[in-house]
Amino acid sequence: MTHSIRCISIDKQFKGDGIKTNALHDVNLCLEKGEFVAVVGPSGSGKSTLLSLLGTLDRPTGGQIIYGDKNANEMKGKEVADFRFENIGFIFQQFHLLPTLTSLENVMVPLFSRRVAYNKKERAEKLLELVGLQDKLNSLPSQLSGGQQQRVAIARAMVHEPHWLLADEPTGNLDSDTGEVIFELISQLNNEKGCGVVFVTHDPVLASRASRIIRMKDGGIISDTAGEGK
């Protein structure tokens, strides 16, 4: 199990057409179990890149990311996939639901190729009930509103009970009222399930309600302050 995450002197470069782009430079960060953290900053500041590194979707060019006592740099192949399954849940701005699958099936997607000790269908049903979609189990994404689709995505992210929930602009494609509902739902999961949350947002009001606000600019952290949350 892992609960804390430490980023030590993280650099991330992207190469294309012979040009190197420094997306992150000398990022040092420690995230503790159960924290509710907002990451803010202008476009191109490195927010989404940081989130992808925290979620082991990508690797840093330099530095180390330590999860509890595990060094991400030392994990390879299936070990990375297994670690991600056991520890990380993702919520994206674009939902990324499979259009030909029902809500229930979409929530079960992370479990399809996994052996688990619980009933997969029952776990997915309980989560859809938790997010208020118990009457939409058999609905396709095209039959759901944007807010409902994001709720399905949240249930999918939580189906394997991760220690960390990483959300990239989770309310960005939603109207303000629906975005408020989704934010409250993520806050509820943080409080009731105990999972840490790191969410990227351009909304300063939502960011202020986190327990901690990390501000980024030009690939680095320029401030790390307390928010109004717990």
Side-chain angles (χ1 to χ4, degrees):
M1 291 185 177
T2 183
H3 299 296
S4 66
I5 305 176
R6 286 182 295 143
C7 297
I8 305 170
S9 300
I10 293 299
D11 293 329
K12 181 61 181 178
Q13 292 181 339
F14 294 104
K15 299 178 182 178
D17 297 326
I19 300 173
K20 291 182 180 179
T21 302
N22 293 313
L24 294 176
H25 176 64
D26 196 26
V27 170
N28 292 279
L29 177 65
C30 185
L31 302 170
E32 298 295 344
K33 174 184 176 182
E35 282 197 285
F36 194 85
V37 182
V39 181
V40 301
S43 296
S45 59
K47 304 184 301 297
S48 294
T49 300
L50 176 62
L51 211 63
S52 69
L53 294 181
L54 292 177
T56 69
L57 293 176
D58 200 356
R59 293 190 177 228
T61 308
Q64 301 179 74
I65 302 181
I66 310 294
Y67 304 87
D69 58 358
K70 281 183 171 287
N71 188 331
N73 295 13
E74 298 172 356
M75 292 188 286
K76 297 179 181 179
K78 187 176 183 297
E79 186 181 1
V80 177
D82 288 344
F83 175 85
R84 190 183 304 129
F85 174 78
E86 293 167 3
N87 293 283
I88 310 292
F90 293 95
I91 306 172
F92 302 98
Q93 181 178 355
Q94 303 295 337
F95 316 141
H96 294 305
L97 301 180
L98 297 175
T100 60
L101 299 186
T102 66
S103 298
L104 183 63
E105 291 165 339
N106 264 291
V107 173
M108 292 174 64
V109 163
L111 307 178
F112 280 166
S113 62
R114 297 280 175 174
R115 285 188 175 185
V116 293
Y118 48 82
N119 184 293
K120 298 177 182 181
K121 185 171 181 286
E122 288 180 2
R123 171 72 65 84
E125 287 174 344
K126 286 180 180 178
L127 279 164
L128 284 168
E129 181 178 356
L130 178 66
V131 301
L133 292 179
Q134 58 269 22
D135 59 340
K136 301 292 184 182
L137 301 184
N138 297 313
S139 298
L140 296 172
S142 60
Q143 298 170 315
L144 302 174
S145 68
Q148 289 171 331
Q149 289 184 60
Q150 189 61 296
R151 290 183 190 216
V152 173
I154 291 171
R156 179 186 60 194
M158 291 297 298
V159 74
H160 53 296
E161 297 190 343
H163 292 130
W164 286 95
L165 193 60
L166 307 181
D168 196 354
E169 294 280 1
T171 63
N173 276 340
L174 307 173
D175 63 77
S176 58
D177 289 342
T178 305
E180 172 66 21
V181 171
I182 294 301
F183 180 85
E184 287 297 331
L185 180 56
I186 294 173
S187 299
Q188 176 189 343
L189 291 169
N190 173 250
N191 289 324
E192 295 182 5
K193 297 292 186 179
C195 65
V197 174
V198 181
F199 73 100
V200 167
T201 183
H202 280 98
D203 188 330
V205 176
L206 289 185
S208 70
R209 291 160 60 187
S211 59
R212 183 176 172 190
I213 306 169
I214 294 169
R215 290 181 171 83
M216 299 189 68
K217 184 179 180 180
D218 297 332
I221 294 175
I222 59 172
S223 69
D224 186 346
T225 58
E228 297 171 3
K230 63 177 183 177

